[in-house]
Amino acid sequence: MTETQTQQKVLDEVMVELRDVNKWYGDFHVLKNINLKVYKGERIIICGPSGCGKSTLIRCMNRLEEHQKGEIIVSGITLDDDLKHIDRVRRDIGMVFQQFNLFPHLTVMENCCLAPIWVQKKSRKEAEATAIRYLERVQIADQAKKFPGQLSGGQQQRVAIARSLCMNPSIMLFDEPTSALDPEMIKEVLDVMVDLAHEGMTMLCVTHEMGFAKTVANRVLFMDAGEIIEENEPNEFFDNPQSDRTKLFLSQIL
Amino acid sequence: MAVYITTPSPALPPPSTSVGVLGWMRKNLFSSFANSILTLIGVYLLFLIIPPTINWALFQADWVGTSREACSGEGACWVFVTVRFQQFMFGFYPPSEYWRVVVAFSLVGFLIAWLLIEETPKKGLVGIFTIFCYPVIAYLLFYGGALGLPVVETHKWGGLMLTLILATIGMFCALPIGIVLALGRRSTMPIAKSLSVVFIEFWRGVPLITVLFMSSVMLPIFMPEELQIDKLLRALIGIVFFQSAYMAEVVRGGLQAIPKGQYEAAEALGLSYWKCTFFIILPQALKLVIPGIVNTFIALFKDTTLVLIIGLFDLLAVVQSAFADAKWIGYSVEGYVFVAGIYWISCFSMSRYSQYLERKLHTGHAR
């Protein structure tokens, strides 16, 4: 049911486009001729064995990693060496990391307000109002005065999501957001992400949570050795995998 | 057979032998036969050393008087220190102008206390005043030459006053320069990086005595007559450069300990290099290296005594020069103990403050 509902929300507008993207770490060819279009409101799950380049792929989209060949266009801006382009792209893309990467010397509230105040030039009052709204949405507003070190892993990751949302991004990147969490905390983070997906956020998510993929994704990409091997809508992907490598991978994780 | 518990077990107090004074003594002093023997030997040694020292320094000491006739010879004769106290504090600064030094130091003491104590308001304003206005006020007070204050040449400055001037200016300048050098050394820009590396390695590679000696003896030979810089200022620049090179390496240690994820999170939020450095990286890095920074500060404070080799009379030099007074020959122990006491109190306070700061800034799993 949600499937068809959310399906409708996908618009024709292209948010991220990758054309023949190649990347090397020294001599190691991590990304090989990646072509991908992400439409507005789409929720794409990227999976694949460790070292296949899935994290590198999404990290290229906000220039945490530099690609050496091909083109990456985010919201109409081509990512190149121009710092202004990088800056504009980063304002439009939020990112959530495996290790949360909250700033440990700042409180939860300060974590959420720092970038809105210093990058978007909002007033402190305005930034705090936005922060409270998003912290309430991830159900952690009561911890706003605490430091990240005083929270559990699941709570920290929810704060990290709220911190990204405070910048009003139109695209969210998730780099294995639940991989560093204890099993009983995975659900609270996934719930927040499902909630976000239902509101129509454009999401790219590297994860091994196949249940989550089935609930929210409208496309699953399977990567191996730097290439997109298979790309399909979730039910088809899980029930009827085409390539042998996908079959092998699914048999290992399911 | 299956076992299950219906009610949680109550929390019991720990056994009495593991808590309180008895528990502490058992654990720390008498944990084994060998440790018990060591404890007893230690107590005996303390008994041998401490009572005679206290007797010498306090109970049998002479405190009042104006000349060596007041010394009974049983304990320490602090009269030597009290008689020359003003000179130890101010060097050869004219006594009629002592108030200027007192005002300048009281003011900075007040400002620093304001900044260090947690509850005081308007720290930002006071901080700006301390950094930008106070140096001007202090210069006017110490040196004079304006507002009707007579000029006091720097060669008349001395004693504790000179030591404190060298140390405070040294610390306030060495830290920011050190931070800039550390950032430069980790920069990806080749020019900034190589300049920082050359600067740090040069100043770290030469002994401070050489630096001071060069600045006071060699520099004037090469500089034209009209470009002569004040001797104190030359020594001060030498000390600042020397210590900032050390400070840079301390700070770099902290910068390297910050996980890559912190930079990435800041970048992903769109923070520029300087904003990321200022708000995210430096606060964490400096907090990590507080022990190292204070270590460098303490070293700097004590290294200021080296200026005596270029003829500046800091606290130690003034006290040593007093030993040469024919009326007071034989009282050098009191002089050295007095100097050591002042240095120890200063360094120990810095150490305590740094520990307090570390506890205050600890934001981990505070329980």
Side-chain angles (χ1 to χ4, degrees):
Chain A
M1 182 201 67
T2 49
E3 194 78 5
T4 47
Q5 272 181 357
T6 47
Q7 205 79 44
Q8 285 163 357
K9 285 189 199 160
V10 177
L11 304 173
D12 283 342
E13 192 186 338
V14 178
M15 299 296 283
V16 184
E17 185 171 0
L18 282 78
R19 288 187 202 141
D20 292 322
V21 171
N22 280 275
K23 176 171 173 61
W24 289 264
Y25 284 129
D27 286 338
F28 180 61
H29 201 171
V30 240
L31 296 179
K32 300 172 185 162
N33 285 322
I34 303 283
N35 281 290
L36 177 68
K37 273 185 184 175
V38 182
Y39 294 94
K40 191 175 172 70
E42 246 197 325
R43 293 154 314 274
I44 297 179
I45 300 291
I46 304 165
C47 58
S50 140
C52 70
K54 51 193 191 307
S55 286
T56 309
L57 176 66
I58 67 165
R59 289 158 60 88
C60 279
M61 292 180 191
N62 64 352
R63 198 67 166 192
L64 287 184
E65 306 279 355
E66 210 172 307
H67 61 284
Q68 281 98 14
K69 257 178 84 179
E71 270 191 315
I72 300 180
I73 304 156
V74 181
S75 315
I77 303 156
T78 308
L79 271 176
D80 46 28
D81 288 329
D82 192 335
L83 285 175
K84 277 187 191 135
H85 292 173
I86 298 174
D87 211 43
R88 272 167 62 194
V89 165
R90 283 180 180 161
R91 286 179 194 210
D92 213 32
I93 292 191
M95 188 161 194
V96 174
F97 299 86
Q98 181 178 359
Q99 298 296 341
F100 329 133
N101 295 349
L102 292 174
F103 307 129
H105 62 302
L106 302 176
T107 63
V108 165
M109 182 54 105
E110 289 164 340
N111 262 280
C112 292
C113 290
L114 186 79
I117 290 174
W118 292 99
V119 180
Q120 294 181 327
K121 311 284 177 207
K122 282 187 183 175
S123 71
R124 175 167 294 276
K125 224 175 169 184
E126 204 184 338
E128 281 183 358
T130 318
I132 277 291
R133 208 170 66 235
Y134 285 115
L135 286 172
E136 264 163 14
R137 211 166 109 183
V138 300
Q139 291 167 20
I140 205 151
D142 50 328
Q143 317 273 13
K145 289 203 176 67
K146 285 195 182 171
F147 287 98
Q150 296 164 307
L151 305 181
S152 75
Q155 291 172 318
Q156 290 192 48
Q157 192 61 298
R158 283 187 281 147
V159 171
I161 294 173
R163 178 176 71 176
S164 289
L165 292 176
C166 283
M167 292 291 282
N168 287 317
S170 43
I171 303 155
M172 286 286 287
L173 306 176
F174 293 86
D175 189 0
E176 306 207 28
T178 55
S179 302
L181 296 176
D182 289 339
E184 77 266 28
M185 291 169 186
I186 291 177
K187 191 174 174 297
E188 64 184 55
V189 172
L190 289 182
D191 283 348
V192 169
M193 291 167 64
V194 171
D195 189 42
L196 205 57
H198 286 165
E199 282 176 32
M201 175 66 80
T202 311
M203 292 165 66
L204 281 112
C205 185
V206 173
T207 184
H208 294 135
E209 293 295 327
M210 291 308 148
F212 172 71
K214 282 179 190 164
T215 349
V216 303
N218 37 18
R219 247 200 294 172
V220 179
L221 304 185
F222 175 72
M223 285 182 73
D224 193 14
E227 287 176 293
I228 299 179
I229 303 283
E230 199 167 333
E231 187 180 335
N232 216 330
E233 58 108 354
N235 287 338
E236 198 61 14
F237 177 84
F238 290 111
D239 300 341
N240 190 16
Q242 299 298 310
S243 87
D244 290 339
R245 280 193 269 182
T246 317
K247 283 176 194 161
L248 178 68
F249 175 73
L250 288 175
S251 73
Q252 281 164 344
I253 63 159
L254 289 180
Chain B
M1 215 175 87
V3 177
Y4 68 95
I5 296 173
T6 47
T7 49
S9 317
L12 299 173
S16 61
T17 48
S18 69
V19 289
V21 181
L22 265 178
W24 184 88
M25 282 175 67
R26 241 175 113 110
K27 190 167 150 234
N28 295 293
L29 299 178
F30 302 101
S31 60
S32 70
F33 181 70
N35 282 350
S36 305
I37 299 233
L38 283 176
T39 301
L40 293 177
I41 293 176
V43 170
Y44 181 63
L45 283 178
L46 289 178
F47 172 74
L48 283 186
I49 296 165
I50 292 180
T53 313
I54 292 180
N55 264 339
W56 176 83
L58 299 176
F59 299 128
Q60 294 173 345
D62 306 296
W63 299 88
V64 274
T66 47
S67 69
R68 67 183 298 157
E69 275 74 62
C71 302
S72 61
E74 282 166 19
C77 186
W78 299 117
V79 178
F80 170 62
V81 174
T82 51
V83 164
R84 289 181 162 265
F85 188 74
Q86 290 191 326
Q87 201 192 10
F88 291 172
M89 292 298 112
F90 301 99
F92 309 106
Y93 212 84
S96 60
E97 308 295 323
Y98 281 169
W99 65 270
R100 284 156 54 175
V101 180
V102 174
V103 168
F105 278 119
S106 311
L107 184 56
V108 76
F110 176 75
L111 289 171
I112 290 179
W114 189 290
L115 293 172
L116 296 190
I117 295 169
E118 233 173 305
E119 289 83 8
T120 50
K122 301 235 190 261
K123 283 210 167 54
L125 270 178
V126 177
I128 290 170
F129 180 82
T130 312
I131 292 170
F132 295 105
C133 306
Y134 178 74
V136 181
I137 299 174
Y139 176 81
L140 279 179
L141 282 169
F142 285 132
Y143 189 77
L147 304 172
L149 297 172
V151 171
V152 181
E153 299 281 348
T154 54
H155 64 80
K156 289 184 185 160
W157 302 9
L160 184 62
M161 162 200 167
L162 183 68
T163 298
L164 288 178
I165 290 175
L166 287 169
T168 2
I169 299 183
M171 287 174 201
F172 274 95
C173 297
L175 184 59
I177 299 179
I179 291 172
V180 171
L181 286 171
L183 291 173
R185 194 167 186 167
R186 280 171 57 82
S187 162
T188 45
M189 288 182 284
I191 295 176
K193 187 178 171 131
S194 37
L195 281 178
S196 307
V197 171
V198 168
F199 186 95
I200 292 169
E201 295 305 337
F202 173 77
W203 289 100
R204 226 161 42 130
V206 289
L208 183 54
I209 291 209
T210 325
V211 174
L212 293 172
F213 205 69
M214 289 291 273
S215 75
S216 81
V217 182
M218 302 300 279
L219 213 56
I221 298 176
F222 297 118
M223 300 271 274
E225 194 69 34
E226 57 274 21
L227 268 181
Q228 292 299 347
I229 311 168
D230 187 83
K231 186 154 108 183
L232 178 63
L233 187 61
R234 276 179 276 146
L236 201 48
I237 293 173
I239 290 176
V240 166
F241 282 176
F242 184 84
Q243 296 293 350
S244 56
Y246 278 91
M247 196 57 87
E249 289 299 278
V250 170
V251 174
R252 191 166 67 98
L255 292 174
Q256 270 167 352
I258 304 300
K260 207 165 153 254
Q262 293 290 310
Y263 293 90
E264 289 180 348
E267 279 178 32
L269 285 167
L271 292 167
S272 64
Y273 170 81
W274 287 111
K275 283 174 190 161
C276 168
T277 304
F278 192 75
F279 292 117
I280 310 298
I281 305 305
L282 276 183
Q284 295 185 58
L286 292 179
K287 188 182 102 182
L288 279 175
V289 293
I290 288 173
I293 292 176
V294 174
N295 205 22
T296 312
F297 276 175
I298 288 177
L300 187 155
F301 188 72
K302 293 188 293 186
D303 279 354
T304 56
T305 52
L306 290 176
V307 297
L308 75 91
I309 68 139
I310 58 168
L312 292 173
F313 282 86
D314 78 314
L315 177 61
L316 182 61
V318 162
V319 174
Q320 275 184 335
S321 73
F323 299 157
D325 184 347
K327 283 183 281 182
W328 284 102
I329 284 180
Y331 289 96
S332 54
V333 176
E334 282 84 348
Y336 281 126
V337 168
F338 173 69
V339 174
I342 289 185
Y343 275 101
W344 186 80
I345 289 170
S346 311
C347 297
F348 186 66
S349 330
M350 282 192 259
S351 155
R352 296 306 299 185
Y353 183 72
S354 88
Q355 284 172 22
Y356 158 78
L357 206 59
E358 275 177 67
R359 272 197 308 276
K360 195 184 95 176
L361 296 178
H362 180 73
T363 57
H365 300 268
R367 297 235 160 175

